[in-house]
């Protein structure tokens, strides 16, 4: 397979750090820092962990029983304490922690002290309805501050949060509630999307009516007058009212689960990735600090939604662990106009801006006049995440922001918890490359047998455990083992990657049946099963196909039941059906009606063959093809 991976890399321009960037940076010499860190990774991580506060110290840094890892054994900590109390007990007490801007232009600002009061009240409110350590709370909220407050409140008392992106539909929400066995759900009456109000409560009502584990629902009511609530449904304001602003953080064993986050894989069932307090705290803390070169004076803007892992690690936990000022904004980059984000950068003096290739490509379409209208001189460090960034988009982003700010192309996954391959500001950049492994991380590109490739194409792997790695897949340890059993002695990420002569990593996309649509991770099997659940469909196969803005788009091939005929009406119905089953992000852009699908003799659909045909490429080895 590795030999078949084509890499058509052009030699690219190298951007060296400016003197200003270098003089400011925490790490000025990557090569030395990296060599030192991997000479003794446990020593490295031990030193980093000591920068945070622990109720009692660990007596062992790592226990590694392949492939099960435990970090900071015997240590007691609480990530919420480190995000809040550590700062409230310092000069940062009245520093701004979170600036939130709503789609309608509303602004809410929380200092560390105020955020802490809200989180403490929410933690007490959770306790008041009987929640305790180990219970699971589902958070299904639009991008509003209550999302952050609820996450930190759960963490404070050892309750596990399971945040579900509010674009998921009722059946998708229901299956995630059931898998987690959540006792309560926190939601809102509505979210806003390009000025339109989206009825979230209706989605939750439908999901909860089929989820007997849910005992209580709390609703943030954004619209006045708010909708009427049923028994077991509580208004957020009333729930919080009268709660004390003091709730001692639970002293938790470092391996205590912090959250489940559902992500897509190669089967129809989403996997509940499990992260824990101690190691995740250490990984998100140090990557945010070193990669974005985060200082106290910075204003840090990450465009993700806390419904995805980037929001967990790089809106909430990483920045707050560092005592940063975080800007977060509801809504799309081009609503009400394509100046939206540039305007926010200029208005709040953003110095660190972490965004996505899809958003950059979207903004590129509107032209350079838009960023040109705003004062972007506060920017210092830029970031990109979620999918490979094409050199054209990289160059554009670099140019419109002044031509001298380093872009951190950060590669990582829900499973890895924090960034694993990325430049630091001192590293020379090549547009389109995530460059080199983070300190303490032994990443490599290998063939199927696990042999290092040197230079060339192969599979991205990690060769040693790291603190923020997932601990398991909730209720499915076998699926966890799959990541470590695929290639001997390695964690297999599922990404195809090329390593160049300078040891730079060029991630090229997924090696499995996962599609990245606008950076959102979607399993082809999930879309297939949604299509097959439609009355008119017998069989479906789904592939990812390159798309100019979204990176990839979903294309479906569908076989109809006998008696069904193809029509544009039917195609529309099929799309609507996928939207109802999974949500808007999973709807195929193209659906072809076909009479057969390429399969192996054992009946497995060969999506690879469909994809090659669609793209006019050589399908490779098709000796197992039946039809
Ligand atoms: C892809 C998102 C290239 C990759 C943080 C990975 C990237 C998957 C990059 C994880 C990048 C993420 N360059 N590809 N900088 N960042 N990916 O779990 O395929 O939503 O395996 O985590 O996104 O997606 P997930």
């Amino acid at each position: 397979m590795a030999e078949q991976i084509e890499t058509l890399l052009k030699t690219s321009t190298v951007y060296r750090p400016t003197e200003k960037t270098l003089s400011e940076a925490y790490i000025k010499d990557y090569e030395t820092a990296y060599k030192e860190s991997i000479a003794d990774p446990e020593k490295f991580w031990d030193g980093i962990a000591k920068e945070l506060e622990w109720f009692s110290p660990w007596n062992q840094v790592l226990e590694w029983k392949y492939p099960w890892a435990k970090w900071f054994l015997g240590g007691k900590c609480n990530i919420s304490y480190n995000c809040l109390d550590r700062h409230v007990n310092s000069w940062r007490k009245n520093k701004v922690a979170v600036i939130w801007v709503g789609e309608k232009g509303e602004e809410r600002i929380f200092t560390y002290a105020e955020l802490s009061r809200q989180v403490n009240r929410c933690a007490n409110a959770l306790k008041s309805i009987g929640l305790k350590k180990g219970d699971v709370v589902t958070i299904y909220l639009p991008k509003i501050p209550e999302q952050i407050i609820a996450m930190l409140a759960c963490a404070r008392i050892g309750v596990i949060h399971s945040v579900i992106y509010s674009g998921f539909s009722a059946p998708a929400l229901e299956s995630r509630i059931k898998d987690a066995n959540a006792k309560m759900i926190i939601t809102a009456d509505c979210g806003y999307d390009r000025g339109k109000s989206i009825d979230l409560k209706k989605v939750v009502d439908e999901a909860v009516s089929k989820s007997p584990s849910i005992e209580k629902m709390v609703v943030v009511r954004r619209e006045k007058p708010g909708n009427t609530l049923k028994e077991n449904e509580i208004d957020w304001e009333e729930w919080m009212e009268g709660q004390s602003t003091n709730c001692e953080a639970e002293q938790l064993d470092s391996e205590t689960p912090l959250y489940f986050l559902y992500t897509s894989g190669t089967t129809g069932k989403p996997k509940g990735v499990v992260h824990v307090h101690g190691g995740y705290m250490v990984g998100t803390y140090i990557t945010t600090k070193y990669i974005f070169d985060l200082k106290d004076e910075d204003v840090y803007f990450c465009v993700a939604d806390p419904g995805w892992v980037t929001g967990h690690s790089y809106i909430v936990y990483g920045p707050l662990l560092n005592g940063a000022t975080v800007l977060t904004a509801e809504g799309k980059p081009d609503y009400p106009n394509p100046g939206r984000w540039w305007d926010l950068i200029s208005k709040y003096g953003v110095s660190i801006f972490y965004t996505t290739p899809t958003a950059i490509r979207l903004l590129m379409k509107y032209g350079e006049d838009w960023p040109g209208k705003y004062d972007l001189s506060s920017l210092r460090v830029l970031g990109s995440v979620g999918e490979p960034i094409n050199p054209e988009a990289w160059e554009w982003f670099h140019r419109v922001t002044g031509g001298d700010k380093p872009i951190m192309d950060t590669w990582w996954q829900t499973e890895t918890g924090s960034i694993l391959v990325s430049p630091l500001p001192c590293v020379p950049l090549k547009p389109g490359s995530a460059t080199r492994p983070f300190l303490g991380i032994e990443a490599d590109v290998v063939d199927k047998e696990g042999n290092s490739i040197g230079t060339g194409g192969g599979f991205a792997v990690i060769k040693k455990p790291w603190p923020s790695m997932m601990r398991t897949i909730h209720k499915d340890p076998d699926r966890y083992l799959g990541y470590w059993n695929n290639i001997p002695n390695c964690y297999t990420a599922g990404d195809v990657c090329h390593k160049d002569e300078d040891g730079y990593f060029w991630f090229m996309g997924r090696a499995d049946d996962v599609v990245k649509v606008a950076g959102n991770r979607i399993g082809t099997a999930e879309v297939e099963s949604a299509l097959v659940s439609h009355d008119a469909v017998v069989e479906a196969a789904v592939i990812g196909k390159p798309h100019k803005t979204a990176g990839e788009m979903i294309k479906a091939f569908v076989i109809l039941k006998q008696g069904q005929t193809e029509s544009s009406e039917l195609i529309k119905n099929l799309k609507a059906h996928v939207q109802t089953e999974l949500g808007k992000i999973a709807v195929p852009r193209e659906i072809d009606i076909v009479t057969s699908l390429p399969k192996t003799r054992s009946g497995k659909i060969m999506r690879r063959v469909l994809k090659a045909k669609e793209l006019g490429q050589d399908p490779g080895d098709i000796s197992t093809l039946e039809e």
Side-chain angles (χ1 to χ4, degrees):
M1 171 75 192
E3 309 82 63
Q4 292 168 18
I5 293 167
E6 281 180 58
T7 48
L8 304 163
L9 293 172
K10 293 170 249 146
T11 36
S12 71
T13 326
V14 177
Y15 290 86
R16 298 195 180 276
T18 62
E19 253 170 54
K20 178 174 174 286
T21 300
L22 258 189
S23 69
E24 286 165 353
Y26 284 116
I27 306 285
K28 299 189 199 296
D29 174 2
Y30 166 80
E31 298 302 337
T32 310
Y34 182 69
K35 265 193 210 114
E36 239 176 65
S37 73
I38 61 159
D40 190 349
E42 288 179 42
K43 184 170 158 224
F44 170 75
W45 292 115
D46 181 73
I48 301 298
K50 284 180 179 145
E51 293 185 24
L52 295 161
E53 276 185 44
W54 296 73
F55 301 118
S56 50
W58 52 96
N59 44 44
Q60 190 182 340
V61 177
L62 167 67
E63 180 194 275
W64 181 225
K65 294 183 178 157
Y66 192 94
W68 304 99
K70 286 184 183 164
W71 285 87
F72 310 111
L73 285 86
K76 293 241 186 301
C77 64
N78 186 306
I79 196 169
S80 177
Y81 181 93
N82 272 280
C83 286
L84 299 169
D85 306 49
R86 199 163 81 88
H87 310 306
V88 171
N89 297 333
S90 78
W91 68 267
R92 292 197 192 94
K93 179 169 179 163
N94 293 315
K95 179 179 174 178
V96 173
V98 175
I99 304 171
W100 173 84
V101 181
E103 207 197 64
K104 295 176 172 173
E106 323 89 291
E107 177 191 77
R108 290 167 70 189
I109 295 181
F110 300 79
T111 61
Y112 274 93
E114 177 56 16
L115 184 63
S116 170
R117 283 190 288 271
Q118 299 271 349
V119 169
N120 277 268
R121 282 169 65 200
C122 184
N124 280 323
L126 285 165
K127 281 184 176 174
S128 75
I129 54 173
L131 282 143
K132 49 184 195 320
K133 186 174 147 188
D135 288 339
V136 181
V137 169
T138 294
I139 300 174
Y140 182 78
L141 283 170
K143 207 167 155 186
I144 53 177
E146 283 74 9
Q147 209 179 15
I148 301 174
I149 293 166
M151 288 165 79
L152 292 168
C154 289
R156 194 161 187 87
I157 57 171
V159 163
I160 299 164
H161 59 70
S162 165
V163 180
I164 313 293
Y165 172 63
S166 63
F168 277 117
S169 64
L173 175 59
E174 179 196 325
S175 70
R176 286 159 176 79
I177 293 173
K178 282 188 172 149
D179 187 82
N181 202 28
K183 276 201 171 164
M184 80 168 285
I185 182 162
I186 302 178
T187 188
D189 51 357
C190 67
Y192 300 112
D193 185 21
R194 295 181 200 278
K196 250 185 32 216
S197 168
I198 312 285
D199 190 346
L200 295 182
K201 178 72 166 42
K202 197 172 128 209
V203 175
V204 177
D205 283 344
E206 194 186 323
V208 166
S209 71
K210 295 179 198 143
S211 307
S213 66
I214 297 284
E215 293 166 11
K216 286 262 182 330
M217 185 196 302
V218 170
V219 186
V220 179
R221 290 193 282 181
R222 307 179 77 187
E223 293 199 330
K224 307 279 179 283
N227 42 15
T228 37
L229 300 177
K230 297 190 283 277
E231 208 197 322
N232 293 332
E233 298 179 2
I234 318 165
D235 173 77
W236 170 276
E237 293 295 335
E238 280 169 32
W239 186 54
M240 293 275 279
E241 206 171 83
Q243 293 297 343
S244 148
T245 55
N246 189 12
C247 173
E248 198 109 334
E250 191 87 28
Q251 305 201 359
L252 302 168
D253 183 273
S254 70
E255 285 293 314
T256 308
L258 167 64
Y259 68 77
F260 301 157
L261 183 55
Y262 287 89
T263 190
S264 297
T266 47
T267 72
K269 197 172 167 287
K271 11 187 193 189
V273 168
V274 180
H275 283 294
V276 301
H277 275 252
Y280 178 79
M281 167 171 96
V282 173
T284 52
Y285 161 73
I286 198 60
T287 46
T288 312
K289 177 171 167 177
Y290 283 170
I291 293 168
F292 299 108
D293 196 43
L294 184 60
K295 305 278 164 53
D296 259 314
E297 306 77 46
D298 281 309
V299 177
Y300 168 99
F301 179 21
C302 170
V303 304
D305 184 306
W308 305 113
V309 76
T310 305
H312 281 64
S313 299
Y314 297 105
I315 289 181
V316 184
Y317 291 112
L320 297 180
L321 284 166
N322 280 280
T325 296
V326 181
L327 171 67
T328 170
E330 187 183 29
K332 298 285 191 302
D334 56 350
Y335 182 85
N337 64 52
R340 165 81 168 172
W341 287 351
W342 310 122
D343 184 32
L344 292 174
I345 290 168
S346 134
K347 178 169 178 194
Y348 293 99
V350 170
S351 51
I352 301 171
F353 180 41
Y354 192 20
T355 183
T356 67
T358 297
I360 296 168
R361 288 190 293 261
L362 175 71
L363 294 174
M364 263 171 93
K365 288 207 292 202
Y366 295 105
E368 285 181 36
D369 286 354
W370 279 101
K373 281 191 210 174
Y374 300 89
D375 176 6
L376 307 178
S377 59
S378 55
L379 288 173
R380 199 166 76 76
V381 179
L382 309 169
S384 168
V385 63
E387 48 178 317
I389 178 164
N390 48 312
E392 297 72 28
W394 195 104
E395 296 279 3
W396 186 86
F397 190 31
H398 191 247
R399 189 169 63 246
V400 304
T401 49
D404 56 353
K405 281 91 187 168
I407 302 176
M408 304 298 106
D409 176 4
T410 63
W411 178 88
W412 59 297
Q413 308 179 295
T414 305
E415 295 88 335
T416 69
S418 59
I419 299 165
L420 296 191
V421 179
S422 165
L424 302 178
C426 68
V427 170
L429 305 172
K430 301 184 190 182
S433 169
T435 76
R436 309 285 304 277
F438 186 72
L439 308 185
I441 302 296
E442 262 187 66
D444 201 0
V445 178
V446 301
D447 65 18
K448 284 211 285 283
E449 282 75 43
N451 305 306
S452 188
I453 289 247
T455 63
F459 302 100
V461 297
I462 312 297
K463 293 190 157 167
K464 291 227 174 94
W466 63 100
S468 69
M469 63 192 257
M470 68 167 159
R471 295 304 190 261
T472 189
I473 299 290
H474 182 55
K475 293 203 298 212
D476 205 347
D478 283 348
R479 263 180 123 181
Y480 171 80
L481 293 176
Y483 287 85
W484 291 90
N485 287 347
N486 200 347
I487 294 177
N489 295 314
C490 293
Y491 167 86
T492 312
D495 277 47
V496 182
C497 190
H498 175 100
K499 201 157 102 182
D500 73 13
E501 56 289 351
D502 296 322
Y504 275 45
F505 286 66
W506 299 76
F507 290 93
M508 297 188 299
R510 302 285 311 184
D512 54 14
D513 295 319
V514 170
V515 186
K516 274 278 179 160
V517 184
N520 298 314
R521 187 164 156 181
I522 293 158
T524 52
E526 279 170 274
V527 184
E528 285 162 6
S529 80
L531 283 166
V532 172
S533 72
H534 188 282
D535 282 344
V537 176
V538 203
E539 224 174 349
V542 166
I543 60 166
K545 194 177 149 181
H547 183 268
K548 212 164 177 303
T549 320
E552 279 191 290
M553 56 163 256
I554 299 173
K555 166 136 197 181
F557 299 86
V558 165
I559 303 181
L560 296 179
K561 281 191 186 148
Q562 264 188 355
Q564 295 286 342
T565 41
E566 182 176 351
S567 68
S568 58
E569 201 54 35
L570 178 65
I571 302 281
K572 243 199 249 157
N573 283 340
L574 292 177
K575 290 185 180 178
H577 182 70
V578 176
Q579 177 155 350
T580 314
E581 287 298 307
L582 294 171
K584 207 165 147 187
I585 53 166
V587 175
R589 197 179 277 260
E590 288 174 12
I591 299 180
D592 282 5
I593 306 292
V594 295
T595 50
S596 71
L597 290 168
K599 283 187 188 162
T600 61
R601 278 176 205 108
S602 59
K604 253 179 89 176
I605 296 173
M606 293 181 82
R607 298 183 188 90
R608 175 166 65 80
V609 174
L610 276 173
K611 189 163 177 171
K613 192 161 168 252
E614 182 70 24
L615 304 181
Q617 293 168 343
D618 173 12
D621 178 10
I622 50 165
S623 55
T624 54
L625 190 66
E626 166 76 28
E627 307 170 31

